[in-house]
């Protein structure tokens, strides 16, 4: 079925055509009809599946056809998201899809001045996309009126729980009318998430996309064994052999993000890094450069990159394996967005093999091995433009990883 055949307003169809969305993705096909009917939905879908439009299309349609007049009453739809980057990104999707409609959307998040946000809220808006902290701050002081909210959307609920927002979500319920439509989206599911979900939705339609394989089918993902100290040579080679491609490199900590960037600089590779320690404006600038393709290599930590939708990322490199297995799914999901194809490769050192086993347990199946022959392995090291006499960097790279690993192991044991 094509979007043209859906019972949604022509104003929305016009935007979808402009975006070149002809047919719904799996999650859209399954979610749009029940959301249009006003049902509660509990959906398990990763980013990259088209989940944002899966709720944005029917919500915009519903509010547009109601022809809201009294904006001063308060917002009609609240979208809660874990990070400010995601808030900005989802807001853009609402703006793009709702461009020709009467629906007004806006987003609020912390870390920036609240004055302009308050001014905009006072003018009246229909759909608000918000991160929990700023949202409570503004709601408790009366700048956000939630008592007329008809639709509540929780996006990336699992990530919100990871970040400790459970209390905020529960507190939020006090401001919302009991009679409302609730749409609950999560990339992964476990007992805690299920409990939260069922406390919020009623008689929800359950939707799951690709339940057996949490990694989208259009992503070719594999793992290769590379010693910790050799990882940078392999990254260098991969980048130099794929110079036209956009490559997203994941590391475990911000210190490592900076180190890898410096290592690449030594071999004349331009890259930038983003991590939680950077200012919001700076992070946005870096992401924009990467989005436009002005920088081809971006080094990121999990927190900074979750949920970010950047088109045309051909390669994801797990320079370090993620400590949280589900982050593997989020990371590799940065490539192969929508209907594009993508490649993801993980560099696994001897120290990281237990993490690999955990990830494969989470996925429920082994990850394809990419064998590197000894000759080719040595050739990659020889291929490097770096002087191999730089033992200091090498040792500090190794030490840094080992110390961090030990710390996190200790945490786990507690
Ligand atoms: P999301 O999972 O919402 O982050 O979306 C992932 C990507 O899929 C985004 O780049 C969207 O622009 C793209 N996308 C969403 N829906 C469609 C569609 N029906 N056809 C083609 N691309 C889509």
């Amino acid at each position: 079925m094509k979007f043209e055949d859906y019972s949604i307003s022509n104003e929305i169809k016009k935007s979808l055509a402009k975006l070149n969305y002809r047919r719904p993705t799996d999650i859209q096909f399954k979610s749009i009809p029940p959301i249009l009917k006003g049902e509660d939905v509990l959906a398990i879908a990763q980013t990259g599946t088209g989940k944002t439009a899966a709720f944005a299309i029917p919500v915009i349609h519903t509010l547009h056809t109601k022809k809201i007049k009294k904006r001063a009453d308060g917002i009609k739809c609240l979208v809660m998201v874990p990070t400010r980057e995601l808030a900005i990104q989802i807001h853009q999707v609402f703006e793009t899809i709702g461009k020709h409609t009467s629906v007004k959307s806006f987003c609020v998040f912390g870390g920036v001045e609240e004055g302009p946000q308050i001014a905009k809220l006072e003018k009246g808006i229909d759909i608000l996309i918000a991160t929990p902290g700023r949202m409570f701050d503004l709601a408790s002081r009366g700048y956000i009126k939630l008592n007329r909210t008809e639709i509540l959307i929780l996006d990336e609920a699992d990530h919100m729980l990871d970040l400790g927002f459970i209390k905020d979500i529960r507190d939020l319920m006090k401001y919302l009318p009991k009679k409302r439509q609730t749409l609950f989206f999560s990339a992964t599911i476990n007992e805690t998430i299920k409990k939260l979900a069922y406390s919020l939705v009623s008689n929800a339609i359950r939707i799951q996309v690709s339940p057996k394989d949490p990694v989208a089918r259009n992503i070719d993902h594999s793992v290769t064994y590379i010693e910790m100290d050799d990882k940078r040579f392999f990254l260098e080679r991969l980048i130099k052999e794929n110079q036209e491609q956009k490559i997203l490199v994941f590391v475990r900590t911000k210190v490592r993000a900076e180190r890898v960037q410096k290592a690449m600089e030594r071999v004349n590779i331009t890259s930038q890094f983003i991590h939680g320690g950077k200012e919001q404006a700076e992070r946005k600038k870096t992401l924009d450069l990467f989005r436009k393709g002005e920088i081809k290599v971006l080094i990121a930590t999990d927190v900074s990159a979750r949920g970010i939708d950047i088109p045309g990322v051909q390669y994801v490199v797990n320079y370090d394996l993620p400590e949280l297995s589900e982050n593997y799914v989020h990371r590799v999901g940065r490539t192969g967005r929508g209907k594009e194809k993508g490649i993801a490769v993980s560099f696994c050192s001897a120290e990281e093999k237990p993490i690999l086993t955990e990830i494969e347990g989470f996925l429920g199946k082994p990850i394809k091995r990419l064998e590197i022959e000894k000759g080719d392995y040595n050739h990659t090291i020889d291929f490097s433009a770096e002087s191999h006499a730089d033992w200091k960097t090498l040792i500090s790279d190794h030490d840094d990883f080992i110390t961090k690993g030990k710390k996190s192991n200790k945490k786990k044991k507690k």
Side-chain angles (χ1 to χ4, degrees):
M1 191 165 161
K2 292 184 182 155
F3 278 125
E4 275 165 32
D5 307 321
Y6 272 70
S7 315
I8 47 174
S9 53
N10 288 331
E11 288 83 355
I12 296 178
K13 287 183 183 170
K14 195 169 155 188
S15 305
L16 296 180
K18 185 94 197 292
L19 282 166
N20 221 0
Y21 292 4
R22 286 176 222 287
R23 288 172 193 281
T25 62
D26 198 9
I27 184 75
Q28 291 161 5
F29 180 74
K30 290 174 177 156
S31 320
I32 295 175
I35 299 178
L36 283 174
K37 275 198 225 150
E39 314 248 27
D40 279 8
V41 163
L42 202 168
I44 312 298
Q46 300 85 41
T47 49
T49 53
K51 67 178 171 66
T52 316
F55 55 76
I57 295 171
V59 165
I60 295 172
H61 172 82
T62 304
L63 298 183
H64 175 63
T65 46
K66 273 192 178 163
K67 301 221 178 341
I68 302 155
K69 289 201 183 73
K70 286 203 260 164
R71 285 211 170 88
D73 276 2
I75 60 157
K76 303 294 174 291
C77 169
L78 174 67
V79 188
M80 296 285 291
V81 296
T83 63
R84 35 198 183 178
E85 279 83 5
L86 196 58
I88 295 169
Q89 189 180 298
I90 291 184
H91 179 220
Q92 270 166 2
V93 174
F94 272 98
E95 289 267 274
T96 315
I97 297 178
K99 190 170 175 206
H100 307 289
T101 69
S102 54
V103 178
K104 277 194 184 176
S105 60
F106 185 52
C107 69
V108 296
F109 43 81
V112 292
E113 254 187 84
E114 59 170 30
Q117 294 183 345
I118 293 173
K120 183 89 190 194
L121 286 167
E122 281 178 342
K123 281 193 191 146
I125 48 143
D126 308 315
I127 300 173
L128 180 70
I129 300 108
T131 54
R134 179 60 56 99
M135 133 93 215
F136 284 112
D137 193 13
L138 296 176
S140 58
R141 286 154 56 212
Y143 292 116
I144 300 177
K145 294 189 196 89
L146 294 170
N147 54 323
R148 290 291 165 92
T149 306
E150 293 164 17
I151 309 168
L152 166 71
I153 304 173
L154 276 111
D155 192 24
E156 301 218 347
D158 49 349
H159 194 203
M160 290 213 250
L161 294 190
D162 286 349
L163 296 177
F165 290 141
I166 187 141
K167 188 174 175 301
D168 293 338
I169 297 171
R170 293 211 184 283
D171 288 349
L172 166 77
M173 296 308 127
K174 293 179 210 146
Y175 292 98
L176 294 171
K178 281 218 164 60
K179 196 173 162 292
R180 56 160 201 268
Q181 183 179 19
T182 304
L183 314 175
F184 188 100
F185 281 77
S186 180
T188 52
I189 188 108
N190 60 29
E191 281 311 310
T192 330
I193 293 161
K194 254 193 222 165
K195 238 170 109 186
L196 174 71
Y198 285 113
S199 72
L200 299 178
V201 298
S202 57
N203 291 329
I205 307 283
R206 242 192 101 126
I207 297 168
Q208 191 152 4
V209 284
S210 37
K212 295 231 169 55
D213 192 351
V215 178
R217 248 170 282 149
N218 44 332
I219 302 169
D220 174 14
H221 63 121
S222 53
V223 60
T224 184
Y225 296 121
I226 300 176
E227 285 321 311
M228 189 58 71
D229 299 337
D230 298 334
K231 285 187 176 184
R232 64 189 194 284
F233 303 126
F234 283 83
L235 181 63
E236 174 188 353
R237 182 166 179 184
L238 191 144
I239 295 171
K240 287 188 174 165
E241 286 179 352
N242 295 282
Q243 300 210 13
E244 290 312 308
Q245 317 272 50
K246 258 194 220 173
I247 303 175
L248 182 56
V249 182
F250 280 100
V251 292
R252 269 172 49 185
T253 63
K254 60 183 186 187
V255 173
R256 283 181 68 75
E258 292 173 11
R259 284 241 170 95
V260 175
Q261 194 256 339
K262 286 213 181 83
M264 291 304 106
E265 201 173 85
R266 286 199 296 276
V267 293
N268 308 317
I269 290 173
T270 310
S271 65
Q272 292 209 11
F273 58 82
I274 50 162
H275 55 60
K278 278 199 164 192
E279 287 289 319
Q280 162 73 0
E282 218 181 318
R283 281 204 274 176
K284 188 173 177 302
K285 202 170 130 203
T286 310
L287 281 173
D288 281 346
L289 287 175
F290 189 58
R291 188 169 279 125
K292 286 189 215 135
E294 286 173 26
I295 46 165
K296 296 281 188 199
V297 182
L298 181 68
I299 302 157
T301 54
D302 289 304
V303 174
S304 61
R306 181 115 179 230
I308 298 303
D309 180 29
I310 293 179
V313 175
Q314 286 91 357
Y315 260 102
V316 164
V317 179
N318 283 325
Y319 191 84
D320 297 327
L321 289 187
E323 284 194 321
L324 256 181
S325 297
E326 59 208 55
N327 279 346
Y328 180 86
V329 177
H330 298 304
R331 286 179 177 194
V332 302
R334 303 301 102 214
T335 180
R337 312 291 284 168
K339 296 195 157 49
E340 291 170 14
K341 284 203 179 318
I343 304 175
V345 62
S346 302
F347 292 176
C348 177
S349 68
E351 296 93 322
E352 291 172 297
K353 283 188 181 166
I355 306 180
L356 178 62
T357 312
E358 259 182 52
I359 295 172
E360 291 183 319
F362 177 80
L363 297 178
K365 58 178 180 188
I367 302 170
K368 186 171 79 184
R369 299 298 191 264
L370 209 89
E371 304 291 344
I372 308 175
E373 281 179 24
K374 205 159 179 246
D376 206 23
Y377 193 106
N378 292 336
H379 174 70
T380 303
I381 297 173
D382 293 339
F383 167 95
S384 173
E386 187 178 323
S387 121
H388 299 156
D390 190 4
W391 287 103
K392 260 193 197 153
T393 322
L394 207 147
I395 288 164
S396 68
D397 252 15
H398 188 263
D399 286 353
D400 171 51
F401 190 88
I402 299 293
T403 333
K404 293 275 184 269
K406 274 189 189 148
K407 268 191 204 150
S408 65
N409 277 344
K410 260 191 211 155
K411 258 191 238 154
K412 270 183 204 155
K413 274 180 202 150
K414 271 184 195 170

